[in-house]
């Protein structure tokens, strides 16, 4: 089995993207794919019910240090994606990554290089490098 490579994926995106090569096409398709990804997660809660949302204000205790804060934060979900919902969410994430790669191709930006640089920042700044 061939090893996966972000560079190879980015090259494949460049090869297969024919109709939507315009910056406006790429940006709007990226926005559309992001909305579909969000919708797939929402439908997992509202239509399927495999996950449940428990959204509320995050309570930040003053006596907890910043480095310990992660253990006190909630992701506001319970349950797990069922196989059908997981497949849909994964499909929408893949489409989103496709259009991110297309945007990178348009500006001659290497996806793997971007991620390596960001990983370096994460290593240097750690949890203090807020996004």
């Amino acid at each position: 089995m061939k090893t996966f490579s972000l560079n190879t994926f980015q090259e494949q995106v460049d090869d297969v993207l024919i109709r939507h090569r315009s910056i406006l096409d790429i940006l709007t398709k990226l926005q559309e794919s992001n909305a579909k990804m969000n919708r797939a997660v929402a439908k997992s809660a509202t239509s399927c019910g495999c996950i449940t949302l428990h959204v509320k204000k995050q309570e930040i205790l003053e006596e907890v240090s910043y480095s310990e804060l992660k253990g006190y934060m909630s992701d506001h979900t319970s349950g797990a994606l069922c196989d059908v919902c997981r497949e849909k969410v994964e499909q929408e994430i893949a489409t989103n990554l496709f259009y991110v790669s297309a945007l990178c191709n348009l500006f001659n930006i290497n996806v793997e290089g971007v991620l390596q640089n960001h990983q370096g920042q994460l290593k240097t700044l750690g949890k203090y490098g807020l996004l």
Side-chain angles (χ1 to χ4, degrees), residues 21-83:
R21 293 189 82 85
S22 160
I23 182 65
L24 294 177
D25 286 334
I26 292 170
L27 288 174
T28 56
K29 293 298 267 182
L30 181 58
Q31 184 178 23
E32 178 185 13
S33 71
N34 194 45
K36 287 182 175 183
M37 187 173 53
N38 292 343
R39 180 73 179 137
V41 172
K43 287 184 80 170
S44 297
T46 60
S47 294
C48 178
C50 59
I51 62 171
T52 305
L53 306 180
H54 307 281
V55 181
K56 63 181 183 174
K57 179 182 176 187
Q58 293 278 15
E59 297 295 329
I60 300 175
L61 305 172
E62 290 183 27
E63 63 273 3
V64 175
S65 70
Y66 188 74
S67 61
E68 298 173 317
L69 193 57
K70 182 179 177 181
Y72 291 90
M73 303 303 285
S74 171
D75 65 12
H76 297 128
T77 63
S78 62
L81 293 174
C82 68
D83 291 342

